[in-house]
Amino acid sequence: MYSAAMLIKELVAASTEPLILSLLAQGESYGYALIQEVKRRSSDQIEWTDGMLYPVLHRMEREGWIQSRWAQAETGRKRKYYSLKRDGRKALKEQRRQWGTVSNVFRQLWKEQYV
């Protein structure tokens, strides 16, 4: 039922916002670059699609967490670049707190299982 190479879709979905916020905290980026960076950092275990990523980016933009701008890429094509806003930094701080709590609980539980 579970593939060792891929994470379950619910976990991927739950982690999308904090991953996007964390990447944009490092600097502006465009959709395809975000997809590739998450894939690289997860050793190909997380594979986002355009159909999954762009609705999340648009929702985050409506919430005021990120902003976008169109710019010409080196290839001559126009790309939509996303960057973090002040409210996005606040959201990232809160997401980090929440994920830290969950991570700590897992660490405690799994440590107890291997004592």
Side-chain angles (χ1 to χ4, degrees), residues 18-29 34 66 82-85 88-89 92-93 96:
L19 287 171
I20 292 170
L21 292 170
S22 296
L23 290 170
L24 293 179
Q26 297 176 353
E28 79 173 359
S29 190
L34 293 169
I66 63 173
Y82 297 90
S83 59
L84 207 54
K85 294 176 71 175
R89 293 194 187 284
L92 174 57
K93 184 177 179 179
R96 287 181 64 155

Side-chain angles (χ1 to χ4, degrees), residues 1-68:
M1 173 176 251
Y2 293 106
S3 167
M6 299 294 289
L7 299 179
I8 60 172
K9 66 181 179 179
E10 293 84 3
L11 186 55
V12 172
S15 63
T16 301
E17 283 184 359
L19 287 171
I20 292 170
L21 292 170
S22 296
L23 290 170
L24 293 179
Q26 297 176 353
E28 79 173 359
S29 190
Y30 55 96
Y32 181 75
L34 293 169
I35 289 169
Q36 293 304 308
E37 186 64 13
V38 166
K39 184 177 179 180
R40 182 186 71 78
R41 287 178 181 253
S42 71
S43 300
D44 296 331
Q45 292 186 55
I46 300 175
E47 288 191 33
W48 289 346
T49 63
D50 292 351
M52 184 281 311
L53 177 63
Y54 288 104
V56 176
L57 288 170
H58 295 153
R59 181 173 35 79
M60 292 172 73
E61 194 169 14
R62 282 192 309 273
E63 299 221 6
W65 294 357
I66 63 173
Q67 62 189 3
S68 63

Side-chain angles (χ1 to χ4, degrees), residues 72-88:
Q72 190 119 5
E74 296 140 9
T75 61
R77 293 180 43 192
K78 281 192 143 192
R79 287 189 178 141
K80 194 172 192 180
Y81 288 86
Y82 297 90
S83 59
L84 207 54
K85 294 176 71 175
R86 178 175 286 140
D87 283 349

